[in-house]
Amino acid sequence: KLDGLDQICEENEGIKAESHKATHTIHGLEPCTDYELHINPSTVDAQLNTQPISFKTASPAAKSPQFSVKFKEKTNKLDIDWSSVQCAAGYKIHQQSIHQRIENDEPTIIWESENDHKLSVSLDSPEPCVRYSYTVSTMVGSEESKASVWTELAVPPMVGIYKHSALVIEEKTNGSVTFVINNNDKNNRCKVEQYHVKYSTTEDFIDPLTLEDGKITVIVPQENTEIEGRIRYQGFESWSPWISSDSPLKQKQTGEDIDYILLIITGSVIALALFILIIFLVVRKKRSQLKYDAEKAEGNTDESKKLNNQMEEKITKNT
């Protein structure tokens, strides 16, 4: 057996009288394993040496491994692990959404290994609020096992600091506030089961079917009263994190507001550039003045040199 931990087994077979052939069956060989066979004929007087023969035992039919699929909400990852299959050359993970099943589309291979050593993987979550089915197949040589068992999983809505819904104030008039709680882009397939809203000392649970265009209107004691809201999606018991009207960037901005902000930013940039240019000119003028004063003190300016030359000419004429 040639597997890095070589094992040597010895078996003897006698030749019957007047026969020139011997047949021997070796039992207990492992599948898909390399072996080296040595046949050493012997006579009464001597033992002969022959060339060894190398061979590999056949592989069994490919069979699927046992596996499990879990969704980690903290990381938004799918954790999939499976058991080792004898003679496997690699594994494939198949995914089929409920839409693919309805339309009789083939499952999608979302991952495949290049060796038989990897028995687990963590994958990015597919689309939230969609039901998916998963299975793992085995590759034995060029043969792939048949998918016999599928595990179904409902991917929950995505939540997190960058995946929150947005509470957008639409209007504030006469003590009432109209707002909407917009779903984040990642959860666009998630259907809202219920809104939970808190403001002042009041707490409401609102059915989205009772709303027009998703707009919620509440009566508040003061215009700046904080409003909080969260969402529960159909098919899931947990709620999204609370979002607040006091949170920045949650107010609805009109085109005029955006133009005004851009105008302010542009003006600020121009003012800053002018300020830097003025400082540069002042510093350069100051440096030039200091250089001129230093040269004048040493008599190296053009005016000093001219006066010196004139004085030298007068002295020469007088002498």
Side-chain angles (χ1 to χ4, degrees), residues 184-202:
N184 71 64
D185 294 338
K186 295 289 186 181
N187 295 331
N188 60 349
R189 283 190 177 271
C190 302
K191 294 182 179 180
V192 177
E193 177 78 21
Q194 201 172 38
Y195 294 105
H196 186 189
V197 177
K198 293 193 302 184
Y199 52 96
S200 187
T201 58
T202 305

Side-chain angles (χ1 to χ4, degrees), residues 3-4 6 20 27 30 58 83 99 115 118 144 167 175 185 188 192 224 242 247 253 275 279 284 299 319:
D3 59 357
D6 295 351
H20 299 287
H27 298 278
E30 297 180 9
S83 61
H99 310 293
N115 56 66
K118 195 171 181 65
E144 183 176 359
L167 194 156
D185 294 338
N188 60 349
V192 177
N224 61 348
W242 286 101
S247 179
Q253 295 179 332
F275 180 72
I279 292 176
R284 189 173 70 172
T319 54

